């Protein structure tokens, strides 16, 4: 029986570096290989993180018989193709969000996963954060009564640069897919019901993708989610779950938070704090490593049904705000 | 030349009591009279606040030749009728929000005000708070760059009681008119442009009025306002003005705040705090008293154009969420 999972990383950008840095906190896993389309870049990355194998093509990494699981950290528009390639070669896949840029793409990927019987998970790292899990436990334990509203904002400032991936429609750019997915993930995490209605407004960049978003989701159990996202300005980036008997505030940046408080009329009733040394990618990596060792085929925390809900919500919002990618 | 304004209060409910309590901080004004539909209630109120004259009808107060200005603090649906009565008898009017429950009612009231040439102001007390005024100054001085988004929430918890004014459609109940008007007022205060688009969703009470709201306003200068209101649960009730070079957070309860901070990437850059002893109604009363002494006919802070914008926005939102009052 396997006791150790060998990981590979596809891509060498900023998020891949953070993932590799956090790997020192992963148990029962080894970061064995990294791949770039450039052998130099791969080798440089491998040197930085003491990774044994550096590949100058993604295919080469996927062919490595010693690699068990692959983290796909390329731009959005390539996720489906590369994840499929890895699954077809028998590698478990942790794919960055959004795993697919629309529902049709996602179904084609899930089809491959189901046919191959290989583990595939969308990298919604926020769900694995200790602070977020404690916030969920408070809510599930009824500490704030019945959920009434969820609020979450993700705003940071980046210059309006049409050459930036974020602004490029051909690379599935825009605030929604890149960061709006996090406030939406908060809503999906805390609102148990089906989405009954969605309202959304966007400010577009000159490249026609959304740069600022306001979204209101209504659920069939009368919960409202009020969400925003922008890459044109910095926000406080807290998330709130409001109940009829108190609320939980997850302090900014809520997608990898260090603190949450449980508020009642009388003031703060409970606090959870996280003094981790990692950025926080290690939690999802540890969880997936464990599930692979246990022989699981799907993530209990972010199953295929979660990815479906996520992408279908974003498809609907893009329809409402009129953002269509050239490849669609 | 007049050096003192004699005030009267119409109604003796909770907000009238707070107004009267705060009157000790009003300069150049005397609280001369109070009126209720019950002589007993009026006398009781007058005794509590050492008010010289107590009237058992609103008309009697409006007839008092010594009264210069009247504060109208009755339920929403009576505002227009009572304000008109006072104006027609030559009394300046400070009328609680919403001054009118729809645009048609408002126009009829403004028509009376314009014909009479008497001062009339909607009691948007928030605009007179020192902390809010400092926040506005920071924004006007360009300290946060170009405004990008406004956020504000007003949530408190009240039992779902169909007999409560808040739940009664015949009294123009619902969260929007009662408290949603405050987050909207924040948007109107900080967003200089015209509203280009409004999205809104509501959860309704069994009485068919809105009890929880999510609203997204888009302005023609690409500012988004993301606002909520509910009387089913307690919220943090902060307001935010986000710019591309920092943001202002007005701490809860933002409608009569004690603190605001100016945030930059490097952290808190400026703070304003208010250690007033009043609830805060004295600021609007002082301002209006001064304007009356100066002979002004309209409020420079909340002119008729403000009331028009406010009620027209709420009319549109009620249309979107399907809330119509039986008298409409």
């Amino acid at each position: 029986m396997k006791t150790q999972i060998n990981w590979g990383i596809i891509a060498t950008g900023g998020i891949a570096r953070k993932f590799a840095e956090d790997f020192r906190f992963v148990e029962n896993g080894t970061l064995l290989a990294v791949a770039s389309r450039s052998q130099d870049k791969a080798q440089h990355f491998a040197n930085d993180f003491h990774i044994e194998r550096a590949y100058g093509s993604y295919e080469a990494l996927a062919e490595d018989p010693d690699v068990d699981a692959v983290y796909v950290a390329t731009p959005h528009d390539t996720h489906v193709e590369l994840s499929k390639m890895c699954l077809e070669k028998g590698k478990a896949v942790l794919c960055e969000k959004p795993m697919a840029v629309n529902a049709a793409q996602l179904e084609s990927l899930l089809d491959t996963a189901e046919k191959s019987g290989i583990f595939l998970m969308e990298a919604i790292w926020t769900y694995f954060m200790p602070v977020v899990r404690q916030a969920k436990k408070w809510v599930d334990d009824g500490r704030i009564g019945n959920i009434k509203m969820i609020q979450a904002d993700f705003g940071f400032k980046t210059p309006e640069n049409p050459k930036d991936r974020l602004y490029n429609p051909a690379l599935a750019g825009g605030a929604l897919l890149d960061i709006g997915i996090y406030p939406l993930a908060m809503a999906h995490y805390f609102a148990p019901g089906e989405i009954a209605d969605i309202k959304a407004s966007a400010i577009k960049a000159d490249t026609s993708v959304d740069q600022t978003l306001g979204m209101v989701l209504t659920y069939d159990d009368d919960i409202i989610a009020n969400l925003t996202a922008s890459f044109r300005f910095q926000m406080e980036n807290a998330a709130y779950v409001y109940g009829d008997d108190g609320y939980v505030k997850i302090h900014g940046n809520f997608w990898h938070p260090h603190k949450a408080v449980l508020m009642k009329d009388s003031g703060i009733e409970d606090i959870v704090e996280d003094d981790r040394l990692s950025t926080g990618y290690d939690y999802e990596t540890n969880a997936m490593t464990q599930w692979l060792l246990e022989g699981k085929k799907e993530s209990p925390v972010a199953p295929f049904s979660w990815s479906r809900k996520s992408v279908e919500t974003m498809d609907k919002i893009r329809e409402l705000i009129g953002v269509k990618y050239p490849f669609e």
Side-chain angles (χ1 to χ4, degrees), chain A:
Chain A
M1 196 181 134
K2 242 179 144 57
T3 59
Q4 188 79 8
I5 298 296
N6 287 327
W7 281 84
I9 299 181
I10 279 185
T12 55
I15 198 168
R17 296 191 73 84
K18 284 185 178 150
F19 183 90
E21 275 168 21
D22 282 355
F23 209 91
R24 69 192 188 279
F25 299 106
V26 174
E27 292 171 18
N28 307 321
T30 302
L31 189 46
L32 183 73
V34 61
S36 169
R37 279 172 303 184
S38 140
Q39 181 69 44
D40 270 4
K41 279 190 182 168
Q43 193 58 57
H44 186 78
F45 191 100
N47 293 346
D48 283 352
F49 297 102
H50 310 290
I51 297 169
E52 185 184 305
R53 306 178 192 181
Y55 293 107
S57 85
Y58 302 144
E59 294 75 9
L61 182 140
E63 299 279 2
D64 183 332
D66 296 329
V67 169
D68 303 305
V70 177
Y71 173 56
V72 175
T74 51
H76 310 335
D77 60 311
T78 63
H79 287 171
V80 166
E81 182 196 347
L82 294 174
S83 295
K84 277 186 184 178
M85 179 186 74
C86 292
L87 290 168
E88 283 163 355
K89 294 182 190 297
K91 313 304 182 196
V93 172
L94 174 65
C95 180
E96 256 317 314
K97 310 154 311 303
M99 192 154 76
V101 304
N102 60 34
Q105 275 201 8
L106 180 73
E107 289 309 322
S108 125
L109 173 55
L110 296 184
D111 190 54
T112 301
E114 276 159 355
K115 279 184 185 145
S116 68
I118 308 291
F119 189 102
L120 166 71
M121 179 169 87
E122 191 160 353
I124 179 67
W125 64 318
T126 301
Y127 286 5
F128 297 85
M129 296 290 154
V131 160
V132 174
R133 291 165 67 92
Q134 181 59 59
K136 184 76 159 80
K137 187 167 182 329
W138 286 334
V139 172
D140 289 348
D141 288 349
R143 301 276 296 274
I144 62 166
N146 298 306
I147 306 172
K148 295 292 185 182
M149 184 177 282
I150 295 143
Q151 278 191 321
D153 308 309
F154 194 145
F156 72 97
K157 187 180 179 180
T158 188
E160 177 139 6
N161 173 7
K163 292 188 177 156
D164 187 328
R165 169 183 73 77
L166 291 174
Y167 289 93
N168 191 340
L171 302 181
L176 176 64
L177 264 65
D178 208 69
I179 54 177
I181 192 171
Y182 285 99
L184 286 165
M186 281 290 102
H188 300 328
Y189 196 52
F190 287 103
E194 292 297 312
I195 298 170
D197 184 55
I198 300 179
K199 302 275 192 294
S201 289
I203 309 296
K204 305 233 184 115
D206 289 342
T207 57
S208 86
V209 301
D210 49 301
Q211 47 103 324
T212 299
L213 283 161
M215 301 170 276
V216 182
L217 279 62
T218 314
Y219 291 79
D220 58 11
D221 44 5
D222 282 355
I223 295 171
I224 284 186
N226 214 48
L227 314 169
T228 63
S230 178
F231 46 59
R232 293 294 292 127
F233 54 96
Q234 179 67 40
M235 301 187 80
E236 184 173 306
N237 293 331
Y240 298 83
V241 186
Y242 286 108
D244 57 10
D245 192 28
Y247 65 88
V248 172
K249 176 176 183 174
I250 303 173
H251 286 244
N253 293 329
F254 78 80
W255 51 93
H256 62 138
H258 286 277
K259 184 179 179 182
V261 294
L262 173 61
M263 297 292 298
K264 303 288 254 186
D265 285 347
S266 50
I268 294 177
E269 189 177 275
D270 219 334
I271 296 183
V272 56
E273 288 184 282
D274 172 359
D275 58 358
R276 69 178 188 273
L277 299 173
S278 67
T279 301
Y281 291 96
D282 46 321
Y283 296 103
E284 65 179 356
T285 319
N286 266 314
M288 181 162 151
T289 298
Q290 195 53 40
W291 291 329
L292 293 178
L293 292 174
E294 290 166 5
K296 284 206 170 60
K297 300 297 177 202
E298 203 177 329
S299 162
V301 169
F304 296 170
S305 58
W306 183 85
S307 292
R308 284 195 171 100
K309 188 170 189 174
S310 180
V311 80
E312 283 165 8
T313 307
M314 294 195 296
D315 277 1
K316 176 68 181 169
I317 291 169
R318 284 203 292 126
E319 190 187 319
L320 291 171
I321 62 175
V323 171
K324 203 172 158 73
Y325 297 125
F327 51 81
E328 288 183 309

